[in-house]
Amino acid sequence: MSEAILDVQDKPKTAQWISLSLQHMFAMFGATILVPKLVGLSPAIALLTSGIATIIFILITQFKVPAYLGSSFAFIVPITIATETGGIGSAMIGAMFVSLVYAIVALIIWKTGYRWLMELLPPIVVGPVIIVIGLALSGTAVGMAMNTTVDGVSQYSLLHFSAALVTLVTAIVCNIYFKNIISLMPILIGIVAGYIYSAAIGIIDFAPVQQATWFQVPDFLIPGVDYSFTVTPTLLFIMVPIAIVTISEHIGHQLVLGKIVNRNYIKDPGLNRSILGDGLGTLISSLVGGPPKTTYGENIGVLAITRVYSIYVIIGAAVFAIAFSFFGKLMAVIETIPTAVLGGISILLFGIIASSGLRMLVDNHVDFGDKRNLVISSVILVIGIGGAKIEFSESFSIEGMALAAIIGVLLNLVLPGRIKQEVDFGDN
């Protein structure tokens, strides 16, 4: 790899520190605030908890891993379903149990090593599940882009759809035709362009911005105060199986990040520590009303481009995110982003999620001439996208992508012909 300008433990000068940290914050900003906007959570809490979760992650990984934690897109559908069935508190409780799964996996890895995990979650299972996550959201994205609500009725609006298209085209142009930092922030730049266009065509109500104060405490959701702590089997099966995807995503990020900074993070500080840090970040986030967290590829991309790997720069970005979450005027602006703008950017984002599942299958040379692989992927895709459900009672059911993920794991374990996965962990 290219020689680092600032290595992991190097501390930058003050002016450089501020500029580099702001760069990282803006790289993750668009995606981190988009998730809560889509599921009905507070963007301010999402920002606040992203900063707190990142600092917790860095502490747990002994100041060795320069990773930023933001809102996870994998949980959009589960949070939406959990909220519809039991209120937003249900989604938070589900996220707490996801963090418990992370802790259990981290403990097992600590005691037994990590290779069993890749045997349990091979690309032929995880890839199709990721595709399901993206495609299951496609109808939502298109509906947000095309429709507006008039007198409580959703109807097609070419005006709003034009705002979605401006947002989408801007994001595509930034991603394809620009280099360096611009190409890493297509979500943020697309939303800004869509917002400006929406203001020009008069579909934004600026009253909330005028009424907002400059300093505003985020809207916390505390268990036992803002909602009752009730756990149901259905809730667990809605949220917990998605950890199959997010843990696999975490491993992939650690491998890529390790190659960029020329370190073996699977061994030191260890996959057990990084997974535990990720899980604790999600736990703290859910305890105050924030979405589940995951390490962000956008920030890994910033590291690769700038060759500044300093852990202090990541901590600075986390501090800025925490500070911005109390900026009332900014949070009010975020609340006024039109649904069409969010729909436009979601068309690209959800498509990229699905495509990343395809990329996982291609990169790992999954052979679809093998009937075993064909069967596993086919069943996962149709069950997940079709919304299949196993209902045991009125209060207990497993459905959609959660059911698809569970069946995918089971099929991989029981069907004959399973081969050992060869994964480069950077052992040499």
Side-chain angles (χ1 to χ4, degrees):
M1 299 303 294
S2 301
E3 185 178 350
I5 294 175
L6 286 174
D7 210 350
V8 175
Q9 301 302 325
D10 292 341
K11 186 178 292 186
K13 295 179 180 178
T14 303
Q16 186 185 32
W17 193 347
I18 292 172
S19 63
L20 290 169
S21 292
L22 282 172
Q23 188 170 261
H24 269 283
M25 193 203 73
F26 284 120
M28 66 81 191
F29 191 90
T32 292
I33 65 168
L34 180 59
V35 173
K37 284 287 292 179
L38 293 174
V39 300
L41 293 172
S42 164
I45 284 291
L47 266 185
L48 174 67
T49 53
S50 77
I52 294 173
T54 298
I55 292 172
I56 289 172
F57 179 86
I58 289 172
L59 288 171
I60 295 296
T61 54
Q62 303 173 321
F63 290 81
K64 294 178 179 179
V65 185
Y68 194 95
L69 272 63
S71 307
S72 173
F73 281 86
F75 287 95
I76 291 175
V77 171
I79 289 175
T80 302
I81 296 174
T83 301
E84 290 173 351
T85 56
I88 196 66
S90 294
M92 297 299 99
I93 294 167
M96 294 175 200
F97 278 91
V98 169
S99 66
L100 178 61
V101 171
Y102 274 69
I104 293 171
V105 170
L107 177 62
I108 296 173
I109 291 174
W110 179 48
K111 291 294 185 181
T112 66
Y114 49 76
R115 292 186 179 276
W116 63 272
L117 190 57
M118 295 309 296
E119 291 295 313
L120 184 65
L121 305 176
I124 187 55
V125 172
V126 178
V129 172
I130 294 175
I131 295 172
V132 167
I133 290 173
L135 294 185
L137 292 164
S138 58
T140 299
V142 172
M144 291 170 62
M146 293 194 310
N147 302 325
T148 186
T149 302
V150 178
D151 297 328
V153 179
S154 179
Q155 62 184 39
Y156 176 81
S157 169
L158 181 59
L159 188 65
H160 286 74
F161 195 29
S162 70
L165 293 176
V166 168
T167 306
L168 176 60
V169 170
T170 302
I172 292 172
V173 169
C174 288
N175 193 40
I176 299 297
Y177 294 103
F178 286 84
K179 303 297 180 183
N180 298 331
I181 300 301
I182 297 295
S183 68
L184 291 170
M185 295 191 289
I187 299 170
L188 178 62
I189 297 172
I191 290 175
V192 170
Y195 190 87
I196 293 172
Y197 176 80
S198 298
I201 62 176
I203 62 173
I204 299 178
D205 178 11
F206 289 103
V209 181
Q210 296 169 349
Q211 296 167 3
T213 58
W214 288 101
F215 176 84
Q216 185 172 314
V217 177
D219 297 324
F220 293 94
L221 287 174
I222 309 299
V225 177
D226 297 299
Y227 58 88
S228 59
F229 197 97
T230 305
V231 182
T232 65
T234 297
L235 170 62
L236 298 182
F237 279 102
I238 289 172
M239 296 285 289
V240 170
I242 308 306
I244 292 172
V245 172
T246 53
I247 289 176
S248 299
E249 178 185 46
H250 175 93
I251 295 171
H253 283 169
Q254 292 301 99
L255 290 170
V256 171
L257 182 58
K259 290 177 181 177
I260 290 172
V261 304
N262 197 28
R263 284 168 172 79
N264 185 341
Y265 286 136
I266 302 299
K267 284 191 171 182
D268 183 25
L271 194 57
N272 57 309
R273 280 186 173 274
S274 61
I275 288 178
L276 178 62
D278 208 335
L280 285 177
T282 292
L283 175 62
I284 297 301
S285 179
S286 58
L287 284 172
V288 296
K293 297 294 183 276
T294 185
T295 48
Y296 258 28
E298 292 91 333
N299 296 90
I300 294 174
V302 172
L303 292 174
I305 286 176
T306 63
R307 291 186 289 127
V308 173
Y309 311 143
S310 172
I311 202 80
Y312 297 100
V313 170
I314 302 297
I315 293 173
V319 171
F320 277 124
I322 292 170
F324 271 54
S325 70
F326 290 90
F327 188 6
K329 291 288 187 183
L330 175 62
M331 293 301 109
V333 169
I334 292 171
E335 291 295 337
T336 62
I337 297 173
T339 301
V341 171
L342 298 177
I345 203 68
S346 296
I347 289 173
L348 178 62
L349 273 174
F350 298 160
I352 288 175
I353 292 172
S355 297
S356 67
L358 288 172
R359 180 178 176 178
M360 174 178 282
L361 296 172
V362 172
D363 288 349
N364 288 275
H365 309 291
V366 175
D367 179 14
F368 281 97
D370 184 336
K371 290 186 289 186
R372 182 181 190 277
N373 292 336
L374 193 62
V375 165
I376 293 173
S377 62
S378 300
V379 172
I380 290 174
L381 290 172
V382 174
I383 285 179
I385 297 172
K389 177 195 294 187
I390 297 179
E391 190 170 297
F392 298 95
S393 66
E394 290 185 3
S395 60
F396 180 26
S397 63
I398 310 172
E399 60 185 281
M401 67 177 69
L403 180 60
I406 293 170
I407 289 178
V409 170
L410 293 176
L411 284 175
N412 178 63
L413 293 175
V414 302
L415 291 181
R418 180 158 59 106
I419 61 174
K420 185 176 181 180
Q421 297 295 318
E422 295 296 331
V423 180
D424 179 14
F425 289 100
D427 292 336
N428 295 326

